[in-house]
Amino acid sequence: MDATTHVSRATIARYAVGSLGTGGFATLPGLVLVYYLTDTLGIAALAAGLIVTLAKVWDVIIDPVIGATSDASLARTGSRRRFMMLGGLTLPVFFFLTFAVPTGLGPVASGLWVTLAFVLCATAFSLFQVPYIALPAELTSGYDDRTRLLTWRVVVLTLAILLFGAGGPILRGLADDARVGYLVMAAVAGLVIGAGMLISSRVAPQSHSFAFVAQRRSLGVAYRDGAATLARSAPFRALLATFMLQGLATGLMLAGAQYVATWVLRSEDAVTLLFVALIAPALLLAPVWGVVARRLGKYRTFVIASGVFALAAASLIALIWAPGGWVYLPVAVAGAAYAGMQSLPMAMLPDVISYDARSNGSGKAGTFSGVWTAGETTGMALGATTLTIVLALSGYLESVAGQAVTQPDSALVGIVVSFSAVPAVLMVLSLVTLRAYRLRRSDTDNEIEVVREVIA
């Protein structure tokens, strides 16, 4: 694509559809997997957190490798498409198996089953996600064009969060048997996630004429390339640290939403209303954040969105003393801010990649996206892990499907604190790391296409 050509509507649409898959996978396991482990399979909270963390640690290990290999594949074949398609084809199978634990298995065997299936599921997801994140730097080089591309991706992302966050629990509730309900949910959700990924894989550019040469890379070289990328790019370090902290905050709230619904609001189905309150404003305001960014710049707009989210999260601490329907208002405010928190850093990442390419050469977008995805995964995984630690420390009682338990008051306080105060503090810390991000419009706009060169 020529640097002076605006990204087409068809490209924007096909790229955005991929977030139906990424949003679905990021939302549904984060929402229900820990709860499935503790309240259906009878696995202790700390053990449940360890299972989720192990899968995410594996993700962190392989993401830089997938990124570097994707760069090499791009140079050799002219496209990242085969990685994306492989992920889209295999993820539905492993997603279903994650929730297909045979009846009669004890907590230990059930935990091992989920661990293996979810590790495979996470691998399939990374095969799609890493090259998917690398694509914007190759699809367009304009500062505002990237904002436009990523804004509509976040519109679909927020729609996916609503679809899976609200629809997943509804599908789960269609069956009286909790295990059967989870199977129905996993089958339908897995197919939708895979379909979104496969459709979006078609947007990956294909050309056999590139200005750089493919190289086979060992695992050690892949990790060294990732480390070198972090070492030389101060804007990347700042943006990644910010996104990780915010991923930790939102991952913590996502994992805690079902617990808030069940034990604080006293309705397991209230999680659907929480997601509607979160996503309806995000759907409306995602394009608005793009308009504001064109006026104020991505950096300043990102700061505003993050600050609003932090204030909304902090206000939820009042659930300790006054649980009730008022919770949906601050959740809606957080949702409005969340749209900006997603679209703006993702629109800033291609700027970072292009800025680096001026001095260090093109063809490294996959390396950047591999490190980025590893960082994002770490943040989200630690969110679920932090929740299980708080639950364990506050005396939360695990149970198997059909078993009635009464949670102690300390556990209810722990649930609320993990849903409000802790995420708010993490958001404030993310604003501190963001101060180190120095790139502005003048550094990146009107750049020559440096990621790839198509020879007419």
Side-chain angles (χ1 to χ4, degrees):
M1 181 179 296
D2 189 274
T4 61
T5 303
H6 290 296
V7 63
S8 69
R9 291 181 179 179
T11 296
I12 291 174
R14 283 181 297 177
Y15 184 74
V17 167
S19 283
L20 188 64
T22 61
F25 186 76
T27 300
L28 199 52
L31 176 65
V32 303
L33 185 54
V34 172
Y35 188 71
Y36 169 68
L37 292 167
T38 60
D39 286 51
T40 297
L41 302 182
I43 296 173
L46 280 178
L50 180 61
I51 289 171
V52 174
T53 301
L54 284 175
K56 298 302 183 180
V57 167
W58 170 248
D59 234 0
V60 171
I61 292 172
I62 64 171
D63 283 346
V65 178
I66 291 175
T69 307
S70 175
D71 283 341
S73 178
L74 174 68
R76 185 170 60 253
T77 69
S79 181
R80 303 181 189 273
R81 185 178 297 177
R82 63 174 185 158
F83 284 83
M84 299 170 70
M85 292 187 68
L86 181 59
L89 288 170
T90 56
L91 188 141
V93 177
F94 298 134
F95 191 77
F96 179 80
L97 289 175
T98 299
F99 294 94
V101 178
T103 303
L105 289 184
V108 174
S110 296
L112 291 174
W113 176 290
V114 173
T115 300
L116 177 59
F118 195 51
V119 164
L120 293 172
C121 197
T123 303
F125 179 70
S126 289
L127 287 171
F128 175 85
Q129 170 82 337
V130 173
Y132 179 68
I133 289 177
L135 286 181
E138 298 162 6
L139 295 175
T140 180
S141 59
Y143 180 88
D144 288 329
D145 237 12
R146 287 167 179 165
T147 302
R148 181 166 161 250
L149 177 66
L150 273 300
T151 293
W152 287 105
R153 178 206 162 187
V154 171
V155 170
V156 176
L157 178 68
T158 53
L159 182 61
I161 293 172
L162 176 61
L163 176 66
F164 288 92
I170 291 175
L171 289 172
R172 180 187 60 188
L174 293 178
D176 293 333
D177 187 318
R179 288 176 178 264
V180 174
Y182 277 110
L183 284 177
V184 173
M185 178 202 73
V188 175
L191 289 174
V192 175
I193 290 171
M197 291 178 170
L198 289 174
I199 292 172
S200 187
S201 68
R202 305 298 298 176
V203 80
Q206 290 203 108
S207 173
H208 292 277
S209 299
F210 286 83
F212 49 92
V213 180
Q215 295 179 348
R216 294 186 178 276
R217 299 181 179 181
S218 65
L219 295 182
V221 170
Y223 289 125
R224 284 197 299 272
D225 285 350
T229 297
L230 277 173
R232 71 172 180 263
S233 178
F236 185 54
R237 291 196 302 272
L239 193 61
L240 179 61
T242 301
F243 202 64
M244 286 179 64
L245 286 168
Q246 295 193 356
L248 174 54
T250 54
L252 181 54
M253 295 183 74
L254 178 64
Q258 183 68 76
Y259 291 91
V260 170
T262 301
W263 300 110
V264 179
L265 301 178
R266 300 297 177 181
S267 171
E268 190 175 77
D269 296 332
V271 69
T272 298
L273 294 177
L274 284 173
F275 268 84
V276 171
L278 178 73
I279 299 308
L283 279 172
L284 294 173
L285 291 179
V288 175
W289 287 114
V291 173
V292 175
R294 284 192 288 274
R295 292 178 178 271
L296 301 181
K298 299 175 192 179
Y299 173 83
R300 291 176 62 189
T301 308
F302 189 21
V303 170
I304 293 170
S306 302
V308 171
F309 189 95
L311 291 173
S315 69
L316 294 170
I317 193 67
L319 283 170
I320 294 176
W321 305 282
W326 65 267
V327 68
Y328 300 113
L329 178 58
V331 167
V333 173
Y338 179 74
M341 288 164 48
Q342 284 292 299
S343 62
L344 294 164
M346 293 303 297
M348 294 157 77
L349 178 60
D351 296 339
V352 171
I353 295 172
S354 289
Y355 185 76
D356 177 81
R358 287 195 301 178
S359 302
N360 298 287
S362 60
K364 299 180 177 66
T367 300
F368 273 92
S369 66
V371 176
W372 178 271
T373 303
E376 180 184 12
T377 299
T378 299
M380 293 295 290
L382 290 177
T385 303
T386 302
L387 172 66
T388 58
I389 291 173
V390 173
L391 291 179
L393 292 176
S394 60
Y396 185 84
L397 302 176
E398 66 275 2
S399 61
V400 295
Q403 179 184 0
V405 297
T406 300
Q407 299 295 343
D409 290 342
S410 59
L412 301 183
V413 172
I415 290 171
V416 173
V417 168
S418 64
F419 192 70
S420 57
V422 178
V425 171
L426 290 168
M427 291 302 300
V428 172
L429 291 175
S430 76
L431 290 173
V432 175
T433 60
L434 185 58
R435 288 174 60 87
Y437 183 86
R438 304 297 185 189
L439 285 187
R440 299 296 185 267
R441 182 191 300 268
S442 59
D443 297 308
T444 59
D445 206 8
N446 298 319
E447 287 290 335
I448 297 174
E449 182 71 44
V450 291
V451 178
R452 69 184 186 94
E453 177 185 4
V454 179
I455 301 177

